Amino acid sequence: MDIFCIGEILVDFLPGAETGSYVRHAGGAPANVAVAVARNGLKAGFCGKVGDDDFGRFLIEELKANGVVPMCGSPCDHAATTMAFVTLTPEGERSFTFARKPGADMFLDIDDVKNLHFETAKIIHAGSCSLSSEAAREATVYAMRLAHERGQFVSFDVNYRDAMWNSDRKEAQKWIKQVLPLVDFLKVSQEESCLVEDGNDLAILEQEYQIACTVETLGAQGANAYYKDKKIFCPPVPANCIDATGAGDAFWGGFLSALLFQGLQCGGQPSEEMLYQAMAYASAAGSLAVRKKGAIPALPFKNEVMDILNVSSEKDKCKK
């Protein structure tokens, strides 16, 4: 196993070709990251329960079809599938309405993780969504601590939206700060940093934990990624759509994949040059994703990312 992701699965209902029609796509940040990694030709596993219903089965099949190994066992009766409804406004812009059934934030429990054999994984990845319920929190912290003690590389994705379900930022801060000592690398945007440190002071994070990766919002202008004093920009790819879910997941999946391309092994710590190159690769992946519709369909394949990087490289040569 190259990368093992722990987190949430949801369904995106995107506008279909006809008014009032919707197309289902699998989503959820850790699940999408696993797909992005698999599309880079790496072996990815995912753990996170889904409901034993039509949506749950659809989600599992979507992951499998995209090269991910679902490692959470069969769907269960007590899990309700999380859904995100996406509609179009009269102006043609996308409108998001998130619908969560009670207790549907995260379905993971400690037995799911304890029954898994992920000691061979080079990277363990989790998202803040998996800290949103007590059972999931216990399982996620257990997996992260175990990986940390083994010397495996641990990554973590902070999502501002995840803490807003209960409107309790202080609670989110408490749990995120508890897992930070277990994390080797963190993805957090400037806007999301308030969930980690009041005042959005990422310099405190860098000094205290020696981990920080800030990613500016990926949008129609392209992708801007920051690591300490380094900034990476990748222009958007011309297409018909200027927004998409899955863009941040494409970035993070591309980033982790690039670290493995460069030879990161269990217990290894990437150099600043490795991180810079990985973020350049990830920025290209995110820039491509924001120009596509959908969640999983927005996650690019390795050859698509390389095409963008080659084009950018050729432009730089012309300028010189």
Side-chain angles (χ1 to χ4, degrees):
M1 186 65 65
D2 293 303
I3 296 180
F4 185 91
C5 290
I6 299 167
E8 176 188 46
I9 310 180
L10 53 79
V11 180
D12 279 341
F13 283 83
L14 302 176
E18 301 177 2
T19 302
S21 66
Y22 297 89
V23 180
R24 291 187 297 176
H25 291 299
N32 279 343
V33 168
V35 171
V37 167
R39 289 188 170 194
N40 276 280
L42 300 169
K43 188 174 181 182
F46 178 83
C47 185
K49 279 197 177 109
V50 297
D52 189 12
D53 54 16
D54 174 58
F55 292 130
R57 289 185 287 273
F58 162 78
L59 287 167
I60 294 297
E61 290 307 313
E62 278 284 284
L63 290 179
K64 290 179 179 178
N66 281 276
V68 177
V69 180
M71 304 179 74
C72 47
S74 59
C76 59
D77 292 333
H78 67 269
T81 302
T82 305
M83 293 171 283
F85 295 91
V86 187
T87 58
L88 291 179
T89 66
E91 293 76 27
E93 297 178 349
R94 303 207 308 167
S95 174
F96 293 76
T97 303
F98 294 93
R100 297 225 182 204
K101 298 176 183 178
D105 287 323
M106 186 58 206
F107 316 129
L108 193 68
D109 61 43
I110 194 73
D111 289 335
D112 293 320
V113 178
K114 284 187 174 179
N115 293 333
L116 296 174
H117 301 283
F118 55 89
E119 63 270 11
T120 60
K122 298 179 179 69
I123 291 177
I124 304 295
H125 172 69
S128 52
C129 62
S130 58
L131 300 179
S132 59
S133 71
E134 184 175 356
R137 191 157 50 230
E138 180 185 5
T140 302
V141 173
Y142 168 83
M144 292 175 68
R145 180 170 290 113
L146 189 61
H148 177 72
E149 291 172 353
R150 288 173 173 167
Q152 292 165 293
F153 191 88
V154 180
S155 73
F156 192 73
D157 182 358
V158 174
N159 192 326
Y160 181 80
R161 195 181 70 230
D162 292 327
M164 294 300 104
W165 299 120
N166 298 319
S167 300
D168 192 343
R169 195 180 77 188
K170 290 295 182 182
E171 184 72 6
Q173 282 183 328
K174 182 182 77 172
W175 284 104
I176 290 172
K177 283 191 173 185
Q178 283 195 30
V179 302
L180 283 184
L182 309 174
V183 176
D184 293 297
F185 212 74
L186 176 77
K187 182 174 86 66
V188 56
S189 70
Q190 194 67 45
E191 293 81 5
E192 293 162 342
S193 62
C194 64
L195 290 180
V196 187
E197 195 70 49
D198 283 328
N200 295 350
D201 193 350
L202 288 168
I204 295 177
L205 285 179
E206 294 178 358
Q207 182 177 5
E208 185 174 353
Y209 299 104
Q210 295 300 303
I211 50 171
C213 165
T214 60
V215 184
E216 198 172 74
T217 302
L218 301 162
Q221 312 314 318
N224 289 280
Y226 301 85
Y227 177 71
K228 296 187 178 179
D229 60 343
K230 295 182 181 294
K231 176 179 178 179
I232 301 96
F233 171 75
C234 189
V237 180
N240 296 324
C241 181
I242 62 169
D243 188 21
T245 56
D249 306 333
F251 174 95
W252 200 222
F255 175 80
L256 296 178
S257 297
L259 288 182
L260 290 183
F261 295 155
Q262 297 175 80
L264 179 71
Q265 300 296 321
C266 294
Q269 292 299 322
S271 64
E272 289 214 10
E273 183 59 29
M274 284 178 67
L275 292 172
Y276 182 85
Q277 292 177 3
M279 291 181 77
Y281 183 95
S283 296
S287 188
L288 176 64
V290 297
R291 310 301 291 189
K292 291 185 172 184
K293 286 186 177 180
I296 280 180
L299 305 178
F301 288 92
K302 181 180 179 180
N303 62 316
E304 295 178 292
V305 177
M306 296 306 297
D307 286 344
I308 299 176
L309 291 176
N310 290 336
V311 169
S312 299
S313 177
E314 289 300 319
K315 286 183 179 179
D316 290 340
K317 289 179 183 178
C318 291
K319 290 179 182 178
K320 295 176 183 178

